[in-house]
Amino acid sequence: MPDFSLTEEQSSLREMARKFARTEMAPKAAECDRTPRFPEEVYRKAWELGLMNLNVPAEYGGSGLSALDQCLIVEELAYGCAGMTTSIIANCLALEPILLGGTEEQKRRFLPPFCAEYHLASFCLTEPAGGSDAGAISTRAKRHGDGYRLTGEKCFITNAPHASLYTVFATVDPELRHKGISAFVVPRSAPGVTPGKDEEKMGHRASSTSTVRFEEVEVPPSDRLGAEGDGFPIAMRTLDQTRTPIGALATGIAQAALDHAAAYSLKRHTFGKPISEHQAIQVKLADMATRVQASRLLTWSAAARIDRGEPGTLDSSIAKTFASDAAFAVADDAIQIHGGYGYMKEYPVEKLLRDAKLTQIYEGSNEIQRIVIARELLKRYA
Amino acid sequence: MRIVVFVKPVPEAETRLRPSADGARLDTDGVKWVLSGYDESAIEQALLLKEANAGSEVRAVTYGPSPRSEEVLRACLALGCTSAGWVEAPADLPPDVRLKVRALRQAAVRWPADLYLLGQQSLDTESGLLPLALAMALGVPGANGALDLAFDAARNELSFERSSEAGVEEWRLPSPSVIGLKQAKNDPRSAKLQNILKSRKMPIDRIPAVELPAAPEVTGNANRFRFELPPPRTGARLIEYAAPDEAAEKLVRVLREEAKVFP
Ligand SMILES: Cc1cc2nc3c(=O)[nH]c(=O)nc-3n(C[C@H](O)[C@H](O)[C@H](O)COP(=O)(O)OP(=O)(O)OC[C@H]3O[C@@H](n4cnc5c(N)ncnc54)[C@H](O)[C@@H]3O)c2cc1C
C-alpha cells in the first residue's frame, strides 16, 4: 500500500465493480432518479454477484473484504449511481453492529441468511427529534420478563420499506443518555414493526428511505447485541467502519462529474475554440482532478489504517468530510462547465450535485465530523 | 464431459489502438486485454454444458505471451472454468495460423476432451480459420458458426444449429469434435466476487514454448507486414436549421442533389 499500487486481485475486483456499475447501474440511473424507482432487479443482481454483503466474513458466507477492497468497489459503484450504491451498501451498515457486538451464536444465526439469499437489512439509529445527538435517542426498550419491549420511531432509514431485519438502537432510560442505549436485532415480521412510506428525496432517489415505527415490539434477550448499555459504542464503532466507504462513494460521484465535464469541455466550442482551451475552464478541471485524487488517497489511507487494525476514527472522519465536500464542489464545477445544459435534467451532472449533497449529511454530518476531527486532533496536543 | 475451450485475449473495446513503430502490428503498450465476445459465448456455452452434464470439467486454454494470457485465464476461472492451461508464446509471435494450430494441437493432446470449443472468430483479426484448421490437425470432425450446443452422452454426440441466409441447419457431430461457436443460448454470465477471489489462488498449468514441436517454416506471404487503423470517418455534415420543416427541406435537397439517392 505505501506505493499506492493495487494488487492484481484488487484490480480485478475493481474491474468487476466497474463493469457492473457501467452496464447494470448507469443505464438505469436517470430513469430511477426521475421516476423515482427502487430498482430491485439491480440490487438482486448485485447480491448474486457478491457485491452486497462486502463486510461479512467468508465464514458466514460473505465476501469478507478488507476496508480498502470495499472502498475500491464502492467508488466504482457510485460512479454508476450513488443512490443505488447507498441501497447496495446499506446491508454492510445494518449488519456491522452484529459483527461488532454479536456473540458467535448471533452471528451464525443472523448473518448467513443474508449471504444465502437476497435480503435487505436496515440500520435504525436516527430519530425524528435528532440524528447528530445519538446519545439523546428516545426509542424505549422497556424491560419485560427477561426480554424487552421496544417503542418509538426511527426516521430517514435506508431500505426500511424493503428490509427483512432491523438493527435498532433504543434506551432503557433516556436519563442515562448514551449509557442507557442498547442494540437489538428486530425482524420485520415481529408484531408492532411498521415501516413508513418512501420519502420524496432531493437525490439518491433510486434508494428508499422511510420511518420505522416500533409499537410494543417484543425482543428476547437473545436478540440484544452485547451487554445492556453497549449500544452507543456499538453504533459509534459501526460508523467508524462505514464512514470510509462513504468517502469512496463521494469519490465515485466526483470522478463521474470530472469525466463528464472534461469530455464536454472538449466538444463545446465558444469564441471559435473548444472551451477546454479557455484557461478558466482548465483551472476548474485541474482543481476538480486534484480534489478527486486527494479524496481517493484519503479514503485509501483511512481504509489501510483500519485494515492494519489501528484506530480509524480520525482518518475516516477526515476522509469522509474531505471527499464529500469535494464531491459537492466538483459536481458544482461540472455543472458550471456545462453552462445552461448542466442545469438541465437531460444532462447527468445536476443529479451528481443532488447526490453529492447527501454525502455531507448522512453517516454523521460534516459538522459532527469536524467536531470529531478536532477532538481527536487536540488529544494529541493535550 | 470434458471440455476444452480455447480463448484469445483481445484489446478491450474502449482501448485506444495505435500501430507499432515498425507499422507491422498493434502497439500493445497500455492495452487492456479481455476475452473476446465470441470467446465469452464459448465459455458460457461450456459452462451450460457442464451444468447440464454432472461431473463435467471445463478447461480454458490460451496460447500467448505473459501477462495477458494469465489475465484472461483467471477471468475464465472466475467465470466457473475448473482448470486453465497456458501454452506460452513470445510477445512477437508472427500472425501465422499454423503456429497457433501447432500450439493448440499440443494442448489438445495434453488435455484430451470430448469437445474442443472456440469462438467462431476472434474479434481483433476476425480470420475465423482456427476451428477448422485445428480439427484438421487433430483429425477429428469440425464445424464453425454453431449455435446452442447440446451433448448426448449416451450417443456420444454433439448437436447444434447453424443458420445462414439459406435457412437453419441442424447438425450432429460425434465426439470428440472441434466446434467454433457463434452464440450460446444465454448471454455470457458475469463473474461472482467470491469466484474472482478464488480464481486468484487456482493454478494455471503451463506448456512451455520449448515443448512445442518445431515451427513450420514461415513464408513471406504468411506474415502480416502492415497494420493500419481504419481511416477516420469523414463526410459527416450538420444541417443547420431554425425550424423542423426547414431541416427536412435542406435534408431532402442534399439527398437528392448531392447524394443522389432519389431522382
Ligand atoms: C437519505 C438519507 C438516508 C439516511 N439513512 C440512514 C440510515 O439508514 N440509518 C440511520 O440511522 N440514519 C440515516 N440517515 C440519517 C442521517 O444520518 C442524519 O440525517 C444525520 O445524522 C443528521 O441528523 P439530523 O438529520 O437529525 O440533523 P440534526 O442532528 O438535527 O442536525 C441539523 C444540523 O445541525 C448540525 N449540528 C448538529 N449538532 C451540531 C453540533 N453539535 N455542532 C455543530 N453543528 C451541529 C448538523 O450538522 C446539521 O447541519 C439518513 C439520512 C438521509 C437524508
Side-chain angles (χ1 to χ4, degrees):
Chain A
M1 186 55 196
D3 71 351
F4 298 104
S5 66
L6 300 178
T7 64
E8 273 184 21
E9 178 178 296
Q10 288 170 327
S11 302
S12 53
L13 289 179
R14 183 155 80 161
E15 206 53 53
M16 175 227 182
R18 176 170 299 177
K19 190 166 165 205
F20 183 79
R22 298 189 189 193
T23 59
E24 306 288 337
M25 298 166 73
K28 295 179 175 170
E31 175 247 319
C32 292
D33 175 57
R34 200 178 325 113
T35 310
R37 183 172 77 86
F38 185 78
E40 181 131 14
E41 77 284 2
V42 174
Y43 304 144
R44 279 185 185 276
K45 185 122 197 226
W47 176 84
E48 272 167 32
L49 293 181
L51 289 167
M52 207 163 246
N53 303 302
L54 298 173
N55 57 343
V56 176
E59 51 190 306
Y60 308 110
S63 315
L65 293 189
S66 68
L68 180 55
D69 292 356
Q70 291 181 46
C71 285
L72 297 173
I73 288 175
V74 170
E75 182 189 327
E76 292 302 330
L77 296 181
Y79 188 100
C81 177
M84 293 180 201
T85 308
T86 287
S87 273
I88 289 172
I89 64 174
N91 270 22
C92 296
L93 174 64
L95 300 179
E96 189 69 34
I98 301 175
L99 286 169
L100 290 173
T103 60
E104 193 50 40
E105 183 276 324
Q106 287 173 323
K107 291 181 201 173
R108 299 227 164 265
R109 189 151 48 97
F110 293 123
L111 300 174
F114 282 87
C115 304
E117 256 183 84
Y118 167 81
H119 286 297
L120 299 179
S122 295
F123 175 84
C124 303
L125 177 65
T126 306
E127 298 188 352
S132 300
D133 187 1
I137 58 170
S138 64
T139 295
R140 282 297 289 268
K142 259 188 289 173
R143 290 193 193 91
H144 181 77
D146 54 358
Y148 301 86
R149 278 186 173 167
L150 262 53
T151 298
E153 189 174 32
K154 298 291 177 177
C155 74
F156 305 148
I157 305 304
T158 298
N159 288 355
H162 306 271
S164 58
L165 196 80
Y166 300 107
T167 41
V168 185
F169 296 85
T171 175
V172 287
D173 179 2
E175 296 283 292
L176 293 174
R177 295 250 325 148
H178 54 272
K179 293 204 174 74
I181 298 173
S182 295
F184 303 93
V185 180
V186 182
R188 161 78 179 86
S189 57
V193 179
T194 325
K197 276 214 308 281
D198 246 330
E199 305 284 356
E200 265 279 347
K201 298 192 295 292
M202 170 182 179
H204 291 239
R205 288 160 61 84
S207 177
S208 169
T209 317
S210 81
T211 56
V212 190
R213 270 209 70 75
F214 299 92
E215 201 87 52
E216 299 279 319
V217 178
E218 301 265 0
V219 182
S222 58
D223 291 357
R224 189 190 66 221
L225 299 170
E228 201 172 270
D230 280 355
F232 189 79
I234 289 175
M236 292 306 116
R237 281 166 57 215
T238 294
L239 295 170
D240 274 352
Q241 295 294 321
T242 56
R243 210 155 32 230
T244 318
I246 299 301
L249 189 150
T251 308
I253 298 174
Q255 181 70 58
L258 171 60
D259 286 358
H260 284 301
Y264 185 82
S265 74
L266 290 165
K267 281 191 312 209
R268 179 75 175 172
H269 287 69
T270 65
F271 300 94
K273 53 186 177 184
I275 60 169
S276 60
E277 288 177 24
H278 300 308
Q279 203 173 47
I281 299 294
Q282 291 179 355
V283 169
K284 270 201 187 18
L285 289 170
D287 285 347
M288 292 161 81
T290 306
R291 286 191 163 115
V292 171
Q293 180 91 330
S295 300
R296 182 172 299 125
L297 293 180
L298 282 171
T299 50
W300 285 12
S301 95
R305 182 182 285 279
I306 290 168
D307 288 333
R308 289 195 301 270
E310 297 168 20
T313 307
L314 175 66
D315 290 57
S316 66
S317 293
I318 288 177
K320 189 265 185 189
T321 307
F322 185 89
S324 57
D325 286 349
F328 192 80
V330 171
D332 184 21
D333 282 344
I335 294 176
Q336 196 67 21
I337 289 174
H338 279 71
Y341 293 103
Y343 199 66
M344 299 296 143
K345 297 228 168 195
E346 203 186 324
Y347 282 75
V349 284
E350 60 82 31
K351 170 181 184 285
L352 298 176
L353 186 82
R354 291 185 281 112
D355 286 347
K357 186 64 224 174
L358 180 61
T359 63
Q360 297 175 305
I361 297 171
Y362 72 172
E363 303 239 2
S365 73
N366 283 6
E367 288 73 22
I368 297 301
Q369 300 308 326
R370 287 186 165 89
I371 293 173
V372 172
I373 294 166
R375 187 182 62 214
E376 294 290 315
L377 182 76
L378 291 170
K379 273 188 204 163
R380 300 182 177 182
Y381 294 88
Chain B
M1 182 181 193
R2 284 175 306 175
I3 307 168
V4 164
V5 190
F6 294 109
V7 296
K8 175 183 180 185
V10 296
E12 192 188 36
E14 285 172 25
T15 305
R16 289 238 171 94
L17 300 176
R18 292 177 311 259
S20 60
D22 65 1
R25 60 185 68 237
L26 178 73
D27 182 357
T28 54
D29 216 34
V31 168
K32 181 165 166 39
W33 299 91
V34 296
L35 277 179
S36 90
Y38 288 115
D39 289 355
E40 280 186 338
S41 272
I43 294 283
E44 178 65 29
Q45 178 67 74
L47 296 173
L48 289 174
L49 286 169
K50 169 174 165 262
E51 285 154 9
N53 297 277
S56 296
E57 290 165 20
V58 178
R59 175 184 290 274
V61 173
T62 194
Y63 173 48
S66 187
R68 74 180 84 146
S69 297
E70 295 104 305
E71 276 305 304
V72 296
L73 289 175
R74 296 241 176 260
C76 294
L77 291 170
L79 287 167
C81 291
T82 44
S83 58
W86 172 27
V87 189
E88 291 178 341
D92 55 352
L93 186 73
D96 183 332
V97 73
R98 294 173 302 166
L99 292 175
K100 290 184 197 161
V101 170
R102 177 182 65 126
L104 299 193
R105 185 181 174 283
Q106 189 78 0
V109 170
R110 169 79 57 91
W111 297 300
D114 304 301
L115 165 64
Y116 299 100
L117 192 61
L118 300 87
Q120 67 167 13
Q121 67 198 52
S122 67
L123 278 185
D124 50 355
T125 54
E126 292 191 337
S127 66
L129 290 171
L130 209 47
L132 294 176
L134 182 61
M136 287 172 70
L138 290 173
V140 302
N144 205 2
L147 296 167
D148 192 13
L149 274 171
F151 180 61
D152 183 335
R155 299 163 66 169
N156 201 33
E157 207 170 64
L158 295 150
S159 61
F160 57 90
E161 289 187 350
R162 286 182 84 244
S163 70
S164 67
E165 303 263 299
V168 179
E169 305 162 355
E170 221 180 283
W171 283 77
R172 296 205 183 118
L173 257 57
S175 129
S177 287
V178 180
I179 296 180
L181 191 83
K182 185 170 190 179
Q183 214 177 351
K185 193 168 69 195
N186 291 359
D187 284 343
R189 64 194 67 188
S190 304
K192 293 187 164 76
L193 193 147
Q194 282 91 340
N195 293 344
I196 292 177
L197 297 178
K198 272 189 218 140
S199 76
R200 288 278 144 199
K201 298 185 183 78
M202 288 169 75
I204 289 178
D205 306 315
R206 287 168 27 176
I207 300 182
V210 291
E211 287 183 19
L212 296 180
E217 194 190 326
V218 176
T219 55
N221 61 6
N223 233 335
R224 181 175 57 204
F225 58 90
R226 205 158 67 91
F227 172 79
E228 220 174 60
L229 293 172
R233 293 193 190 167
T234 54
R237 173 143 37 112
L238 198 63
I239 292 179
E240 307 262 357
Y241 63 93
D245 44 359
E246 184 195 342
E249 198 178 299
K250 283 185 171 170
L251 180 61
V252 168
R253 194 181 323 130
V254 170
L255 290 175
R256 177 173 292 146
E257 292 169 14
E258 295 174 35
K260 302 212 191 307
V261 289
F262 12 81

